[in-house]
Amino acid sequence: MLLIVPSDPLRPRHPDAHFAPEARAAQEAGVEVAVVDHDALARGDDVSRAVSRVTVEGVAVYRGWMLRSERYAAFADALARRGVSLRTSGEQYRRAHELPGWYPDLVELTPASAWTVGTERADFDRARRALGGGAAVLRDFTKSLKHHWHEAAFVPDLDDGDAAWRVASRFVDLRGDDLVGGLVLRRFERFTTAEVRTWWVDGGCVLVGAHPDSPHDMPPEAFDAGPVSGPVAALGLPFVTVDLARRADGVWRIVELGDGQVSDRPSTIDPAVLVGVLRRGA
Protein backbone atom coordinates (compact mmCIF):
# COMPACT_ATOMS: atom_id res chain seq x y z
CA MET A 1 0.00 0.00 0.00
CA LEU A 2 1.09 3.55 -0.78
CA LEU A 3 -0.22 6.39 1.39
CA ILE A 4 -0.65 9.73 -0.38
CA VAL A 5 -1.08 12.94 1.65
CA PRO A 6 -1.12 16.65 0.84
CA SER A 7 2.17 18.48 0.96
CA ASP A 8 2.94 21.38 3.26
CA PRO A 9 2.33 24.58 1.24
CA LEU A 10 5.55 26.11 2.63
CA ARG A 11 7.65 22.92 2.50
CA PRO A 12 6.34 21.07 -0.57
CA ARG A 13 8.50 17.99 -0.03
CA HIS A 14 6.98 17.42 3.41
CA PRO A 15 3.49 16.30 4.48
CA ASP A 16 0.96 18.92 5.52
CA ALA A 17 1.13 19.29 9.30
CA HIS A 18 -2.45 18.06 9.74
CA PHE A 19 -1.65 14.71 8.11
CA ALA A 20 1.97 14.42 9.24
CA PRO A 21 1.10 12.09 12.19
CA GLU A 22 -0.52 9.59 9.81
CA ALA A 23 2.36 9.88 7.36
CA ARG A 24 4.85 9.27 10.17
CA ALA A 25 2.87 6.30 11.47
CA ALA A 26 2.76 4.83 7.97
CA GLN A 27 6.51 5.19 7.50
CA GLU A 28 7.16 3.59 10.87
CA ALA A 29 4.99 0.67 9.73
CA GLY A 30 7.00 0.29 6.53
CA VAL A 31 4.41 1.93 4.26
CA GLU A 32 5.63 4.18 1.45
CA VAL A 33 4.38 7.78 1.70
CA ALA A 34 4.13 10.33 -1.12
CA VAL A 35 2.95 13.93 -1.18
CA VAL A 36 0.81 15.81 -3.70
CA ASP A 37 -0.01 19.48 -4.19
CA HIS A 38 -3.58 19.62 -2.89
CA ASP A 39 -4.10 23.28 -3.73
CA ALA A 40 -3.25 22.63 -7.38
CA LEU A 41 -5.54 19.60 -7.43
CA ALA A 42 -8.39 21.61 -5.92
CA ARG A 43 -7.98 24.33 -8.55
CA GLY A 44 -7.59 21.84 -11.39
CA ASP A 45 -4.22 23.38 -12.27
CA ASP A 46 -1.66 21.18 -14.05
CA VAL A 47 -2.72 17.97 -12.34
CA SER A 48 0.26 16.06 -13.72
CA ARG A 49 2.62 18.47 -11.96
CA ALA A 50 0.55 18.25 -8.76
CA VAL A 51 1.29 14.50 -8.51
CA SER A 52 4.86 14.65 -9.83
CA ARG A 53 6.37 13.68 -6.47
CA VAL A 54 4.54 10.33 -6.52
CA THR A 55 7.30 8.04 -7.79
CA VAL A 56 6.23 4.66 -6.40
CA GLU A 57 3.78 2.49 -8.35
CA GLY A 58 1.02 0.33 -6.89
CA VAL A 59 -2.28 0.62 -5.04
CA ALA A 60 -2.69 3.80 -3.03
CA VAL A 61 -4.93 5.36 -0.40
CA TYR A 62 -5.29 9.13 -0.18
CA ARG A 63 -5.61 10.78 3.23
CA GLY A 64 -6.14 14.48 2.77
CA TRP A 65 -8.40 17.46 2.38
CA MET A 66 -11.67 17.21 0.47
CA LEU A 67 -11.69 17.46 -3.30
CA ARG A 68 -14.67 18.02 -5.55
CA SER A 69 -15.64 14.77 -7.23
CA GLU A 70 -14.51 15.93 -10.67
CA ARG A 71 -11.15 17.03 -9.22
CA TYR A 72 -10.72 13.67 -7.50
CA ALA A 73 -11.41 11.90 -10.80
CA ALA A 74 -8.73 13.98 -12.51
CA PHE A 75 -6.37 13.20 -9.61
CA ALA A 76 -7.04 9.47 -10.02
CA ASP A 77 -6.42 9.67 -13.78
CA ALA A 78 -3.14 11.53 -13.30
CA LEU A 79 -1.95 8.91 -10.81
CA ALA A 80 -2.98 6.09 -13.16
CA ARG A 81 -0.68 7.55 -15.80
CA ARG A 82 2.14 7.13 -13.26
CA GLY A 83 1.27 3.51 -12.50
CA VAL A 84 -0.64 4.27 -9.29
CA SER A 85 -4.18 3.01 -8.72
CA LEU A 86 -6.22 4.67 -6.00
CA ARG A 87 -8.14 2.04 -4.07
CA THR A 88 -11.21 4.27 -4.39
CA SER A 89 -12.17 5.04 -7.99
CA GLY A 90 -13.56 8.37 -9.12
CA GLU A 91 -17.07 6.94 -9.36
CA GLN A 92 -16.81 5.38 -5.89
CA TYR A 93 -15.53 8.63 -4.44
CA ARG A 94 -18.49 10.59 -5.83
CA ARG A 95 -20.95 8.01 -4.52
CA ALA A 96 -19.52 8.25 -1.00
CA HIS A 97 -18.71 11.95 -0.97
CA GLU A 98 -22.02 13.33 -2.25
CA LEU A 99 -25.28 12.66 -0.40
CA PRO A 100 -27.33 11.77 -3.51
CA GLY A 101 -24.84 8.96 -4.18
CA TRP A 102 -25.48 7.03 -0.95
CA TYR A 103 -28.85 8.26 0.31
CA PRO A 104 -31.14 6.03 -1.83
CA ASP A 105 -29.51 2.87 -0.45
CA LEU A 106 -29.67 4.02 3.17
CA VAL A 107 -33.00 5.83 3.08
CA GLU A 108 -34.51 3.79 5.92
CA LEU A 109 -31.55 4.47 8.22
CA THR A 110 -31.12 8.22 7.83
CA PRO A 111 -33.31 11.35 8.01
CA ALA A 112 -35.63 11.84 5.03
CA SER A 113 -34.09 14.17 2.45
CA ALA A 114 -34.91 16.10 -0.69
CA TRP A 115 -32.54 18.14 -2.83
CA THR A 116 -32.08 20.43 -5.79
CA VAL A 117 -29.52 20.58 -8.55
CA GLY A 118 -28.42 24.19 -8.42
CA THR A 119 -29.71 26.94 -6.14
CA GLU A 120 -32.83 28.34 -7.80
CA ARG A 121 -35.72 29.34 -5.52
CA ALA A 122 -38.29 27.39 -7.54
CA ASP A 123 -36.29 24.19 -7.25
CA PHE A 124 -35.75 24.79 -3.54
CA ASP A 125 -39.49 25.25 -3.01
CA ARG A 126 -40.19 21.98 -4.84
CA ALA A 127 -37.75 20.14 -2.57
CA ARG A 128 -39.22 21.86 0.50
CA ARG A 129 -42.77 20.79 -0.42
CA ALA A 130 -41.62 17.26 -1.26
CA LEU A 131 -40.20 16.85 2.23
CA GLY A 132 -43.39 18.14 3.87
CA GLY A 133 -43.85 20.29 6.95
CA GLY A 134 -41.82 20.42 10.13
CA ALA A 135 -38.22 21.33 10.80
CA ALA A 136 -35.23 20.52 8.59
CA VAL A 137 -31.49 20.92 8.36
CA LEU A 138 -29.97 22.48 5.26
CA ARG A 139 -26.71 21.48 3.56
CA ASP A 140 -25.32 20.94 0.07
CA PHE A 141 -24.25 17.62 -1.47
CA THR A 142 -21.12 17.39 0.72
CA LYS A 143 -21.28 19.77 3.67
CA SER A 144 -23.48 21.62 6.14
CA LEU A 145 -22.75 24.83 8.00
CA LYS A 146 -23.77 23.61 11.44
CA HIS A 147 -21.49 26.18 13.07
CA HIS A 148 -23.87 28.79 11.57
CA TRP A 149 -26.85 26.83 12.90
CA HIS A 150 -29.58 29.46 13.16
CA GLU A 151 -28.66 31.58 10.16
CA ALA A 152 -27.61 28.99 7.57
CA ALA A 153 -28.47 25.46 8.70
CA PHE A 154 -31.66 25.05 10.74
CA VAL A 155 -35.05 25.56 9.07
CA PRO A 156 -37.67 25.66 11.87
CA ASP A 157 -40.72 25.24 9.64
CA LEU A 158 -40.69 24.04 6.03
CA ASP A 159 -44.19 25.45 5.54
CA ASP A 160 -42.79 28.97 5.94
CA GLY A 161 -41.30 29.31 2.47
CA ASP A 162 -39.88 32.82 2.85
CA ALA A 163 -38.15 32.05 6.14
CA ALA A 164 -36.75 28.81 4.73
CA TRP A 165 -35.45 30.67 1.70
CA ARG A 166 -33.70 33.22 3.92
CA VAL A 167 -31.76 30.35 5.53
CA ALA A 168 -30.98 28.89 2.10
CA SER A 169 -29.85 32.25 0.74
CA ARG A 170 -27.51 32.76 3.67
CA PHE A 171 -26.15 29.24 3.18
CA VAL A 172 -25.47 29.98 -0.50
CA ASP A 173 -23.73 33.25 0.42
CA LEU A 174 -21.51 31.61 3.02
CA ARG A 175 -20.59 28.58 0.91
CA GLY A 176 -19.89 30.73 -2.14
CA ASP A 177 -17.83 28.97 -4.79
CA ASP A 178 -17.37 26.00 -2.45
CA LEU A 179 -21.04 24.99 -2.74
CA VAL A 180 -21.34 21.52 -4.26
CA GLY A 181 -24.27 20.24 -6.32
CA GLY A 182 -27.32 21.89 -4.86
CA LEU A 183 -29.37 22.44 -1.72
CA VAL A 184 -30.28 19.45 0.45
CA LEU A 185 -33.04 19.54 3.04
CA ARG A 186 -32.86 16.83 5.71
CA ARG A 187 -35.73 16.15 8.11
CA PHE A 188 -34.70 17.35 11.58
CA GLU A 189 -34.43 14.53 14.11
CA ARG A 190 -33.60 15.10 17.77
CA PHE A 191 -30.49 13.22 18.88
CA THR A 192 -29.45 12.50 22.45
CA THR A 193 -25.78 11.60 21.93
CA ALA A 194 -22.75 13.07 20.26
CA GLU A 195 -22.02 11.60 16.86
CA VAL A 196 -20.01 8.40 16.65
CA ARG A 197 -17.63 8.08 13.69
CA THR A 198 -17.25 4.55 12.37
CA TRP A 199 -14.65 3.53 9.78
CA TRP A 200 -15.35 0.85 7.17
CA VAL A 201 -12.93 -0.97 4.86
CA ASP A 202 -14.33 -3.22 2.13
CA GLY A 203 -17.74 -3.25 3.76
CA GLY A 204 -16.61 -4.13 7.28
CA CYS A 205 -16.56 -1.84 10.30
CA VAL A 206 -12.91 -1.76 11.37
CA LEU A 207 -12.80 1.14 13.80
CA VAL A 208 -15.21 3.00 16.09
CA GLY A 209 -14.43 6.29 17.76
CA ALA A 210 -15.54 9.80 18.53
CA HIS A 211 -16.46 12.40 15.95
CA PRO A 212 -13.75 15.00 15.23
CA ASP A 213 -16.06 17.80 16.39
CA SER A 214 -16.36 16.16 19.83
CA PRO A 215 -13.21 14.03 20.13
CA HIS A 216 -13.59 13.33 23.83
CA ASP A 217 -17.22 12.21 23.66
CA MET A 218 -16.54 8.52 23.28
CA PRO A 219 -19.16 6.08 21.97
CA PRO A 220 -21.35 4.41 24.61
CA GLU A 221 -20.11 0.99 25.66
CA ALA A 222 -23.27 -0.58 24.27
CA PHE A 223 -22.81 0.97 20.82
CA ASP A 224 -23.24 -1.58 18.04
CA ALA A 225 -22.83 -0.79 14.33
CA GLY A 226 -24.41 -4.12 13.42
CA PRO A 227 -27.85 -2.78 12.45
CA VAL A 228 -26.35 -0.70 9.63
CA SER A 229 -23.63 -3.12 8.57
CA GLY A 230 -25.59 -4.92 5.87
CA PRO A 231 -26.73 -1.81 3.98
CA VAL A 232 -23.31 -0.13 4.30
CA ALA A 233 -21.54 -3.26 3.03
CA ALA A 234 -24.00 -3.48 0.12
CA LEU A 235 -22.79 -0.10 -1.13
CA GLY A 236 -19.61 -1.85 -2.28
CA LEU A 237 -17.39 1.08 -1.35
CA PRO A 238 -13.77 0.37 -0.35
CA PHE A 239 -13.20 2.97 2.39
CA VAL A 240 -15.90 5.09 4.03
CA THR A 241 -16.87 6.64 7.32
CA VAL A 242 -20.37 6.49 8.74
CA ASP A 243 -21.39 8.98 11.43
CA LEU A 244 -24.25 7.86 13.68
CA ALA A 245 -26.19 9.40 16.55
CA ARG A 246 -28.89 8.01 18.83
CA ARG A 247 -32.31 9.51 18.26
CA ALA A 248 -34.60 10.40 21.15
CA ASP A 249 -36.47 7.10 20.71
CA GLY A 250 -33.22 5.14 21.20
CA VAL A 251 -32.65 4.24 17.54
CA TRP A 252 -29.17 4.84 16.07
CA ARG A 253 -29.42 6.87 12.87
CA ILE A 254 -26.93 7.57 10.08
CA VAL A 255 -26.17 11.28 10.10
CA GLU A 256 -23.57 11.19 7.36
CA LEU A 257 -21.63 8.84 5.12
CA GLY A 258 -18.38 10.06 3.64
CA ASP A 259 -15.37 8.89 1.72
CA GLY A 260 -12.84 7.72 4.29
CA GLN A 261 -9.93 9.31 2.48
CA VAL A 262 -11.20 12.82 3.22
CA SER A 263 -12.84 12.15 6.60
CA ASP A 264 -11.03 13.80 9.48
CA ARG A 265 -9.50 11.60 12.16
CA PRO A 266 -10.40 12.66 15.71
CA SER A 267 -7.45 13.41 17.95
CA THR A 268 -8.47 10.52 20.23
CA ILE A 269 -7.74 7.90 17.55
CA ASP A 270 -4.07 6.96 17.31
CA PRO A 271 -2.85 7.53 13.73
CA ALA A 272 -1.04 4.17 13.88
CA VAL A 273 -4.38 2.45 14.51
CA LEU A 274 -5.94 4.02 11.43
CA VAL A 275 -2.92 3.16 9.30
CA GLY A 276 -3.07 -0.40 10.65
CA VAL A 277 -6.66 -0.99 9.54
CA LEU A 278 -5.91 0.46 6.13
CA ARG A 279 -2.95 -1.87 5.71
CA ARG A 280 -5.12 -4.86 6.55
CA GLY A 281 -7.42 -3.89 3.71
CA ALA A 282 -4.58 -3.62 1.19
Side-chain angles (χ1 to χ4, degrees), residues 109 196-200 204-208 222-232 242 244 252 254:
L109 302 169
V196 175
R197 174 153 290 183
T198 60
W199 302 75
W200 303 68
C205 183
V206 296
L207 190 59
V208 176
F223 174 78
D224 177 15
V228 305
S229 60
V232 172
V242 181
L244 299 106
W252 285 92
I254 293 177

Side-chain angles (χ1 to χ4, degrees), residues 14-88:
H14 297 267
D16 182 287
H18 190 79
F19 298 98
E22 291 177 30
R24 187 162 49 249
Q27 290 171 327
E28 290 173 354
V31 175
E32 293 275 0
V33 176
V35 296
V36 293
D37 184 340
H38 171 269
D39 291 344
L41 291 173
R43 292 191 303 265
D45 295 347
D46 195 357
V47 177
S48 295
R49 184 195 61 77
V51 302
S52 62
R53 288 196 168 90
V54 181
T55 59
V56 178
E57 297 184 356
V59 177
V61 173
Y62 173 62
R63 282 289 298 150
W65 307 113
M66 286 185 180
L67 290 166
R68 287 179 175 268
S69 296
E70 63 272 20
R71 301 298 191 215
Y72 180 89
F75 172 39
D77 289 344
L79 288 174
R81 293 192 291 271
R82 302 181 72 84
V84 176
S85 173
L86 282 169
R87 193 185 297 176
T88 299

